[in-house]
Amino acid sequence: MKSDLSVDIKNILESGSYIIVFDTNVFLNLYRVSPDYADFLLKCLYTVKNYIIVPKTVQIEFNKHSKILYNKRQNAIKNLIEESIKLVKRQKDKTLNSCLVMKKRKLPEIEELIRCISEKYESIEKLMQDYFEDHNDLTLICDTWTNDKPSEFISFLDTNGQALLSLDYSTLYAICEEGEERYKKLIPPGYKDAKEKDGVRKFCDLIWWKEILKFAKEQKKNVILVTDDIKEDWWKKEDGDFVFREELLREF
């Protein structure tokens, strides 16, 4: 059963007048979320793959960070089972050592207490081991990717001609010059990056925004923009809600 929202989105996309643009972090977050959720998100992306356009700046930033995040993700998943069981064992040892202190002080029935505690911790260890084994086939905890799936998705879009070509150097230089003036006047997007980044990097948001404006104008397309950036150089807060900056709507 499909919701009215999913039907509306399907109709909107199939009209051919819309493209979808994701910012870099949306793709990079695939490495940061839980394995099962990452797989779900990838399925969603493949469902709308024909409508996605990737700004060259987004592709470059993704390629810059994806390998490091992929390696971190794989190592974190591989170590999770071992570290979880080790944690239980460490707590067991600390608790039993505390009991041995009580035993030296001749507290009554300590042997029985130690036996009961040992059994409880053994039960917890078995519970955790059973959990990991039971969920192994569901790939919730164990390594779910034998290859770098987000990178494969970006490569698929690139091969399919859905990654934009690089802007020429004179255009990039002009955007950076414009950015200097925009940022002084706090004109969105990207001015919040001015203090945190240097060189061309601080203009990345402005550059890929300009890439999208250029493509949308030339191809006469509307844009569904997907971002997890909630800084004020994209949004303003009104009555607790995030509202897209009016300046960006006017510029579009």
Side-chain angles (χ1 to χ4, degrees), residues 121-167:
Y121 271 106
E122 286 167 8
S123 175
I124 293 172
E125 279 184 54
K126 186 176 185 311
L127 187 66
M128 293 191 72
Q129 287 168 341
D130 288 347
Y131 171 81
F132 290 127
E133 288 174 7
D134 289 346
H135 289 75
N136 184 52
D137 292 337
L138 297 176
T139 64
L140 293 177
I141 300 299
C142 294
D143 185 4
T144 58
W145 296 349
T146 55
N147 45 25
D148 189 342
K149 291 185 178 182
S151 288
E152 286 183 351
F153 182 70
I154 298 296
S155 296
F156 165 81
L157 295 175
D158 192 10
T159 303
N160 208 38
Q162 293 170 246
L164 300 182
L165 297 175
S166 297
L167 298 173

Side-chain angles (χ1 to χ4, degrees), residues 186-200:
L186 303 184
I187 298 174
Y191 64 78
K192 292 295 287 185
D193 292 332
K195 292 182 179 179
E196 300 172 8
K197 300 177 183 178
D198 53 15
V200 177

Side-chain angles (χ1 to χ4, degrees), residues 47-228:
T47 300
V48 295
K49 64 184 185 300
N50 295 333
Y51 309 100
I52 298 174
I53 293 296
V54 183
K56 180 55 68 174
T57 309
V58 168
Q59 185 181 20
I60 291 170
E61 281 292 300
F62 173 83
N63 290 338
K64 180 180 176 181
H65 299 289
S66 59
K67 187 173 182 180
I68 294 171
L69 289 174
Y70 175 69
N71 289 334
K72 274 186 179 180
R73 176 192 182 280
Q74 300 307 88
N75 291 334
I77 294 170
K78 288 174 183 176
N79 294 336
L80 180 58
I81 297 173
E82 183 180 346
E83 285 302 314
S84 298
I85 293 173
K86 278 183 179 178
L87 177 63
V88 175
K89 289 181 177 178
R90 285 196 294 270
Q91 291 300 320
K92 175 184 175 182
D93 289 343
K94 286 175 69 175
T95 307
L96 291 178
N97 284 338
S98 175
C99 289
L100 289 175
V101 172
M102 290 188 282
K103 183 177 180 181
K104 286 180 179 178
R105 294 180 179 177
K106 308 297 183 182
L107 271 69
E109 300 180 356
I110 290 298
E111 293 291 347
E112 179 63 15
L113 178 63
I114 291 173
R115 185 188 66 78
C116 290
I117 289 174
S118 296
E119 287 179 357
K120 294 294 183 184
Y121 271 106
E122 286 167 8
S123 175
I124 293 172
E125 279 184 54
K126 186 176 185 311
L127 187 66
M128 293 191 72
Q129 287 168 341
D130 288 347
Y131 171 81
F132 290 127
E133 288 174 7
D134 289 346
H135 289 75
N136 184 52
D137 292 337
L138 297 176
T139 64
L140 293 177
I141 300 299
C142 294
D143 185 4
T144 58
W145 296 349
T146 55
N147 45 25
D148 189 342
K149 291 185 178 182
S151 288
E152 286 183 351
F153 182 70
I154 298 296
S155 296
F156 165 81
L157 295 175
D158 192 10
T159 303
N160 208 38
Q162 293 170 246
L164 300 182
L165 297 175
S166 297
L167 298 173
D168 59 70
Y169 284 112
S170 60
T171 302
L172 285 172
Y173 183 76
I175 293 173
C176 292
E177 276 198 324
E178 180 189 346
E180 291 286 2
E181 296 304 314
R182 290 173 68 121
Y183 288 8
K184 288 175 187 175
K185 299 173 184 176
L186 303 184
I187 298 174
Y191 64 78
K192 292 295 287 185
D193 292 332
K195 292 182 179 179
E196 300 172 8
K197 300 177 183 178
D198 53 15
V200 177
R201 289 180 65 246
K202 69 180 178 182
F203 300 112
C204 279
D205 278 6
L206 179 60
I207 293 169
W208 73 257
W209 170 249
K210 290 286 189 177
E211 288 184 75
I212 290 306
L213 291 179
K214 181 175 182 292
F215 180 88
K217 183 177 180 180
E218 290 174 352
Q219 302 297 321
K220 294 181 171 56
K221 296 288 186 181
N222 297 307
V223 175
I224 298 172
L225 179 62
V226 184
T227 177
D228 72 343

